[in-house]
Amino acid sequence: VNDDGTVTYTFIIQNYGSGAATAEDEVSVRDTFNPILSDISVSLNETALAVTEGYTYDQATGTFVTVPGVITVPAATFVRDTATGAWTVTPGVTRLTVTGTL
């Protein structure tokens, strides 16, 4: 990516448990972007998050943090093969996307 180019970070959050991660669980993602990004936009499962309501970003340090409880992750699904008895687990997935300019 060239200077002044756009970069996108995608965080795939997976839940292999039988219970969903709810707002009460206060899940949060924290990362420090290096190089530091400017003009960021953030979405959760393709729905835009608003700064301060959904996340904070310190452009001086590159520190990004989602507001605790904004991220929820559905429970995994479990399927048992009747012939073999083997279980297949499909995790619940939430996608957090951060796009910004270098």
Side-chain angles (χ1 to χ4, degrees), residues 18-101:
S18 60
T22 66
E24 291 77 28
D25 295 312
E26 297 190 340
V27 172
S28 181
V29 170
R30 177 187 182 96
D31 199 358
T32 301
F33 297 117
N34 183 7
I36 294 172
L37 304 177
S38 61
D39 302 320
I40 71 169
S41 62
V42 180
S43 65
L44 186 65
N45 293 328
E46 299 183 20
T47 299
L49 291 181
V51 67
T52 67
E53 293 174 18
Y55 68 94
T56 60
Y57 183 62
D58 184 337
Q59 193 167 326
T61 65
T63 302
F64 169 84
V65 183
T66 60
V67 171
V70 168
I71 295 175
T72 59
V73 188
T77 57
F78 303 86
V79 177
R80 186 170 185 203
D81 184 303
T82 56
T84 66
W87 285 92
T88 301
V89 180
T90 304
V93 175
T94 294
R95 179 183 304 259
L96 175 67
T97 305
V98 180
T99 301
T101 304

